[in-house]
Amino acid sequence: MTSELSISQEKEAAVVHEHDEAGNSMFGFIVFLLSESVIFLSFFSGYVIYKTTTADWLPAGVAGLETREPFINTIVLVSSSFVIYIAERFLHRDNLWGFRAFWIATMAMGSYFLYGQAVEWSGLSFGVTSGLFGGTFYLLTGFHGLHVFTGILLQTIMLIRSFLPGNYEKGSFGVEATSLFWHFVDVIWIILFILIYVWQ
Amino acid sequence: MTNIPIESIGVVAQPRPGAPDNWRRFFSFSTDHKVIGIQYIVTSFIFFLIGGLFAMIMRGELITPDADLIDRTIYNALFTMHGSVMLFLWTFPVLVGLGNYLVPLMIGARDMAFPRLNAAAFWMVPVVGILMLSSFLVPGGPSQSGWWAYPPVSLQNPTGNLINGQVLWLLAVAISGVSSIMGAVNFVTTIAKMRAPGMTLFRMPVFVWTVLAAQLIQLYGLPALTAGAVMLLFDITLGTSFFNPDKGGNPVLYQHFFWFYSHPAVYVMVLPVFGIFSEIFPVYARKPLFGYRVVSVSAIVITIVSGVVWVHHMYASGTPGWMRMLFMFTTMCVAVPTGVKVFAWVATIWGGKLRLDTPMLFALGGLINFVFSGITGVMLASVPVDIHVNNTYFVVGHFHYVIYGAIVFGIYAAIYHWFPKMTGRMYYEGLGKLHFWLTFIGTQLNFLPMHPAGLMGMPRRVASYDPEFAFWNVLASLGGFLLGMSTLPFILNMVSSWIQGKPAPANPWRAIGLEWLVSSPPPVENFEEIPVVIAEPYGYGKNEPLIETKHSEELAEPA
Amino acid sequence: MNIRTVLTLAAAALLLAVISFWMGQQAYSWFPPQASAESKLVDDLFSFLVTLGSFIFLGVTGTILYSVLFQRAGKYDFSDGPPIEGNITLEVVWTAVPLVLVIWIAAYSYQIYDQMAVRGPMELVHLHLPMGMESAYAAPTEPDSAAVADPLEAIEVHAKQWSWVFRYPEQDVTSTELHLPVDRRVRLMLESEDVIHGFYIPAFRLKQDVIPNHVIDFEFTPIRTGKYRLRDSLYSGTYFAAMQTDVVVQSPEDYRQWLADAAAQTPTVAYNQAAFEYQRIIDKALIRGWKSIPPAPAPVVNYPGIGSRADEGLDSEK
């Protein structure tokens, strides 16, 4: 009797196990992010090697990077990590409008960051071909900016989806993954900011 | 019990692949891992033939010392394309294909974790192939900087066009990288999350272990290559100076990015072959795999150690002495877990009841070739020896023994071994044996003479050479042509067996493993009922069941 | 294990050891002549590795072959073999023995590398990390060790696509052939003008990549007079294979004489295989392939050598 029961429980466990698609997706997404972080790690180590071994690091006529605006940008981006967390909390409590409000706030902060970076880029006196300094600067900030842009794109999709009736009945994997991605992009930026702006 | 969805679907034996009503699914965006597996294997085999053709033209050029058969630029383009096609379009995808077909069956899953991602990853392979081969049609021809694409040579652009062979090559490699990462995420998730009840880590077949180990390498290694490739692409197209010495760049840094991935990439290829060996020896020797747990764990050890050996490709690149010594030691350390595996296989075979069917012949031949290449590998790890033989034909001989002698042999072994499972047909044993002997002799004749040529100082990648090397090169060329011929009985065997071979039973080799418990070919959803595993995977001679029988009164252990 | 098994195993091991030792001795004949002090060290190491490798290879393949020949299943024997799943002692032994071997090989290689000391005082990489291995010169056993210990003034080696030019700064002599005195420590300054090349003299067992924007210090000791080949070892583009020249090791008197003679000559255009072939393609005398980076003009040097070996073959071709 008991063994019969445990068999059927096991079978059911197997079925649940098999259909835990959101769990699999989240696992796969984390694996992907870990792998993605190695690209950044490679760029960072390249940057460190270039900076420590190049004789004329700054191109002629460039004194260094302005840190004030990028710092404000950093504050905005890092704070958005908390804002997106609040949005997620609202979703867990099934407060959709609260979720949407904070979600849109995150998107706005991300967009402000991108705008700030565009302004910074346009005001710089050096280009991508200005030696290793110019190359690595635009490579790192550009590659990170691409990730921020991807994050905002994902957030837009999630926002639109939130208006579909019954969208969260099967779980909120999309929102959780987007949020995780956003934290990832933030952490990368903190390292990047320290490497490029603080360590001059 | 009633809520098991598969029961309501009902299990219909899948029609045989190749039957007129369903051959089309191999050309469709199928999400069945078994279809995708076969798609990978067949597609990559076509590229294997193309890459082999390039090799035979090169061996034709090298049969005489002068650069007389083809122009030097064509020769350089051919060896670039030979290496790139063989790695990115044959060895990687064929092993992904075998993994795709076998892993879900072996762990008791109905499919991979992400079937659509799986199909998307596969369909990138033909795109990579078309992109890479289309570079023959652009002005200036394909990339001529080798599959390693070292700058500054890869930055030199004789035509001045933006769309040139090198750029197309980089794009193809990038797409191949995306496809591989998608595959790796899929494999790791499948193995981590989709195992049948009772299939604990130490009940997984070694093949699954090695696929996991290999795909973990893809995950940590490929991004480094991607980073290097992006920087190289910017150097070529935007004029940045990352690797361009004319503008203060550092070309040696590219070599670090490249080898950080491309050395472990060898393990991405050889690890699944270790898995294949571990599956095949117990079946045809009728003995359990010797030291199963140690063999499994040593695969993961190789994954870790292979991440810290890459500088051994750069001993001569102006690497500081301390780095040479450090990486010499780490490289030699790879020999330890590898040696453990080799000894375990020998112990598995020893005292068994051997049957020399074609899969066993290929596995044994592959093992012998692998031992040889492992020994030359340790020689190459030694800095003073490597300073002499680095970039000579000794290295070419060494890695062809690995890649052809061990890996391609392992792939052939796997294709023969699982052919009845995949197609539901038996292959012709006689043709298989003929194929083995042609391949084995061709391999020795082609690659063994490369070692003395290299020791005498013949550089690799040359279109012409000094006459003193002619003897060894003639032998190698003859071997190369023989290897080309050796694919003919294989193709004949595969095609004719698939069309009209004897129908295969579910388990023609009396092998133990979940894949052998289902029909040949397996039904669409693999398992009528997900099996509950209760034993380790190699219980030969033990007479114990691998899975729980239905409605068993005694549960061996909980899942 | 009975006494007979032990004896059989011991006899087999002895036989293997004898064959392996013989293979190790054969290994010396697989190389070009030993023309530098370093080559002796490398050959000894390689011979040791061949001995060890032969023993392992023959041991493993011999065991497999025995199984294949004598442990086949009968045609109708469908039974399984003994279910032996492992043996902890054996597994520990075959993990420990390779580990010890590997440490031994690494230590021996380190020692040889230390004796070679082919890197001069300047290290290529800027990061100055601990360097424990620039010590003794390679040839303490040589008779002229006093002369050996004092390296010659650095000879400049200029690599470009696709030619080698050697410059002797003291006499301001340029040459497309590398002339060196025997039994003297020689110092080279390797420089590249375009891509990475590889400076490789098989008879010396020495190789070093030549990296643009760096001057690489390289030291060794030729010990045998004669003519040897110098090859580009790192793929450098279209005419890579043709980028070869000769190294002539001479007695000190002949070397000085050669330098004096060369200094007296006015510079002339040397034969250059790459430039020659490229011109023939321009003239449509050869079948054209894809567009190539044009070779640098043939070098103008005091001593243009006597042409490379490869061109003789090519001239006779058409």
Side-chain angles (χ1 to χ4, degrees), chain B residues 115-136:
Chain B
R116 270 169 299 165
L117 191 72
N118 201 12
F122 164 73
W123 282 104
M124 286 184 177
V125 173
V127 174
V128 172
I130 290 166
L131 208 54
M132 208 168 256
L133 295 179
S134 70
S135 63
F136 275 98

Side-chain angles (χ1 to χ4, degrees), chain B residues 72-73 144 156 245 286 291 294 316 319 324 351 353-355 382 387-388 390 457 466 510 541-542, chain C residues 71 73 77-81 85 91 109 113 119 124 161 200 207 209 211 213 229 231 235 244 277 290:
Chain B
R72 290 180 191 273
T73 53
Q144 290 160 40
Q156 292 184 323
R286 309 312 303 170
V294 180
T319 319
R324 288 174 163 181
K353 300 194 169 181
L354 271 65
R355 253 171 229 286
S382 169
I387 285 182
H388 174 53
N390 178 295
D466 287 341
R510 297 178 295 124
K542 295 208 300 188
Chain C
Q71 297 176 337
D77 178 8
F78 290 108
S79 63
D80 285 347
E85 295 194 299
E91 283 165 49
S109 303
Y113 182 71
R119 286 294 185 63
L124 172 72
Q161 284 173 323
Y200 177 36
K207 180 181 291 129
D209 287 2
I211 295 162
N213 288 349
R229 280 306 254 181
R231 302 193 173 98
Y235 178 67
Q244 308 196 2
E277 280 188 36
W290 282 298

Side-chain angles (χ1 to χ4, degrees), chain C residues 41-97:
Chain C
L41 297 168
V42 173
D43 293 3
D44 288 344
L45 176 62
F46 187 77
S47 162
F48 164 73
L49 291 174
V50 168
T51 310
L52 213 60
S54 303
F55 190 82
I56 295 168
F57 181 75
L58 294 174
V60 171
T61 49
T63 316
I64 296 174
L65 220 61
Y66 182 89
S67 291
V68 166
L69 292 176
F70 302 112
Q71 297 176 337
R72 303 265 279 275
K75 200 174 177 191
Y76 301 106
D77 178 8
F78 290 108
S79 63
D80 285 347
I84 304 163
E85 295 194 299
N87 180 329
I88 301 293
T89 325
L90 207 55
E91 283 165 49
V92 169
V93 167
W94 72 42
T95 311
V97 170

Side-chain angles (χ1 to χ4, degrees), chain B residues 312 315 323-333 381-384, chain C residues 102 105-111 113:
Chain B
H312 67 231
Y315 287 152
M323 226 187 226
R324 288 174 163 181
M325 292 299 119
L326 176 70
F327 282 91
M328 171 168 80
F329 184 68
T330 55
T331 304
M332 287 185 180
C333 281
S382 169
V383 174
Chain C
V102 157
I105 296 172
Y108 186 25
S109 303
Y110 171 84
Q111 203 188 349
Y113 182 71

Side-chain angles (χ1 to χ4, degrees), chain B residues 84-108:
Chain B
S84 309
V85 166
M86 287 303 200
L87 291 170
F88 297 114
L89 292 162
W90 156 242
T91 321
F92 284 129
V94 75
L95 289 167
V96 168
L98 284 169
N100 234 306
Y101 195 96
L102 294 172
V103 165
L105 281 167
M106 282 180 162
I107 62 172

